[in-house]
């Protein structure tokens, strides 16, 4: 990528998992490390963009030149993302948002008993779908798909359903792809049906590829 080619562009990135509380000591989460989203935020800032990163809990170093908003739950991410959506030219939603949250959060630690115990779950809002509804012609919306099966088919459905410009799909079953890995193996699928299979590469390199494509679509 060229130097500072994203100067003047405003880019909103989400990264990491969300943490959905059960009680004061327990929560539901997933294996997302945040590495993909942090790589996108870091590269976008290095290329001159103004970047806001809305981050779930991760152990990663804060990228330089990026404004970070820390959140825990999907509902907190939803509010933070909607607050900044109109500002953004490009939105890259790499966060692994929990689809469900415990319906009731106990104020006190839940005591164990002799019997089995179940937790009722409530559907979280689909942030990306809401953005798709609000998207203006001069905004580019990028989603991720972490799948274990029917990758292309599911990605194409998601592009339509969530009104995305393109989607970055990765196969969680492949070695060197997905959670916590420094590399990823992705397929980029756009709304016109163009499919690009990327070889295994560093998440930072894939980040540049994603930004290149978003920039081209923004300028179209
Ligand atoms: O439908 P699925 O969860 O596989 O779609 C993944 C994409 O949707 C990711 O870009 C993720 O950040 C986004 N998403 C979201 N809100 C949710 C669930 C997923 O924004 N509640």
């Amino acid at each position: 990528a060229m130097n500072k080619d994203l100067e003047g562009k405003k880019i909103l990135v989400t990264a990491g998992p969300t943490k959905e509380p059960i009680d004061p000591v327990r929560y539901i989460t997933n294996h997302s490390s945040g590495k993909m989203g942090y790589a996108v935020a870091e590269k976008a800032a290095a290329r001159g963009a103004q970047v806001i990163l809305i981050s779930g809990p991760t152990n990663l170093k804060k990228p330089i030149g990026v404004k970070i908003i820390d959140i825990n739950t999907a509902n907190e991410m939803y509010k933070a993302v909607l607050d900044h959506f109109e500002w953004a030219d490009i939105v890259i939603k790499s966060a692994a948002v929990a689809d469900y949250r415990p319906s009731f959060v106990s104020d006190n630690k839940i005591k164990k008993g002799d019997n089995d115990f179940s937790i009722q779950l409530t559907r979280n809002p689909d942030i990306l779908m809401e953005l798709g509804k609000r998207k203006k012609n001069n905004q580019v919306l990028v989603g991720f798909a972490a799948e274990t099966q029917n990758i292309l088919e599911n990605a194409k459905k998601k592009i339509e359903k969530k009104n995305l410009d393109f989607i970055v799909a990765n196969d969680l079953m492949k070695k060197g792809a997905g959670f916590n890995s420094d590399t990823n193996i992705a397929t980029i699928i756009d709304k016109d049906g163009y499919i690009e299979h990327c070889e295994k590469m560093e998440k930072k390199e894939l980040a540049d590829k994603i930004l290149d494509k978003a920039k081209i679509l923004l300028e179209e």
Side-chain angles (χ1 to χ4, degrees):
M2 303 121 280
N3 256 343
K4 308 287 174 203
D5 64 328
L6 295 173
E7 194 119 64
K9 304 283 186 283
K10 299 185 181 83
I11 305 187
L12 180 62
V13 184
T14 71
T18 65
K19 239 185 205 182
E20 309 295 330
I22 298 167
D23 72 11
V25 298
R26 302 180 180 101
Y27 54 84
I28 296 175
T29 190
N30 60 63
H31 288 298
S32 171
S33 64
K35 281 179 185 168
M36 191 64 241
Y38 274 58
V40 171
E42 181 187 324
K43 288 291 188 172
R47 289 167 64 169
Q50 283 175 257
V51 183
I52 297 178
L53 171 61
I54 298 175
S55 176
T58 76
N59 295 315
L60 301 174
K61 218 171 77 209
K62 313 271 172 220
I64 314 167
V66 171
K67 181 181 169 184
I68 300 203
I69 300 173
D70 289 305
I71 56 86
N72 279 306
T73 67
N75 269 327
E76 288 166 8
M77 181 172 279
Y78 182 82
K79 287 193 194 81
V81 168
L82 286 190
D83 278 350
H84 296 91
F85 183 58
E86 273 182 47
W87 165 88
D89 301 310
I90 297 170
V91 179
I92 301 178
K93 279 232 70 224
S94 43
V97 185
D99 293 319
Y100 299 90
R101 66 175 179 276
S103 307
F104 311 99
V105 181
S106 174
D107 289 336
N108 292 299
K109 187 183 169 194
I110 299 167
K111 295 284 187 199
K112 67 167 125 350
D114 293 330
N115 298 321
D116 290 348
F117 177 78
S118 23
I119 297 170
Q120 187 186 320
L121 301 176
T122 298
R123 192 74 168 74
N124 274 328
D126 191 315
I127 305 168
L128 192 50
M129 189 135 88
E130 185 56 38
L131 299 185
K133 288 180 191 155
R134 298 173 185 222
K135 185 173 77 173
K136 302 266 156 47
N137 281 332
N138 55 358
Q139 288 180 306
V140 169
L141 190 53
V142 183
F144 276 70
E147 306 279 1
T148 57
Q149 51 191 352
N150 301 334
I151 318 248
L152 282 183
E153 200 187 313
N154 287 331
K156 283 179 188 162
K157 275 189 207 146
K158 242 167 254 186
I159 289 172
E160 270 199 26
K161 191 168 165 213
K162 303 193 186 190
N163 190 23
L164 307 179
D165 292 278
F166 67 96
I167 202 159
V168 183
N170 38 264
D171 184 344
L172 295 180
M173 305 310 252
K174 279 194 190 133
K175 202 172 160 5
F179 297 134
N180 225 330
S181 174
D182 286 325
T183 57
N184 213 348
I185 307 168
T187 303
I188 296 176
I189 304 127
D190 73 19
K191 59 176 193 289
D192 299 321
Y194 182 78
I195 297 174
E196 185 186 0
H197 290 284
C198 307
E199 70 214 53
K200 179 162 139 186
M201 63 177 78
E202 295 291 313
K203 284 183 176 170
K204 290 189 183 182
E205 195 183 340
L206 182 59
D208 269 329
K209 250 178 161 341
I210 293 167
L211 290 165
D212 289 345
K213 180 146 181 112
K215 182 187 156 199
I216 291 169
L217 292 178
L218 187 67
E219 284 164 359
E220 258 172 16

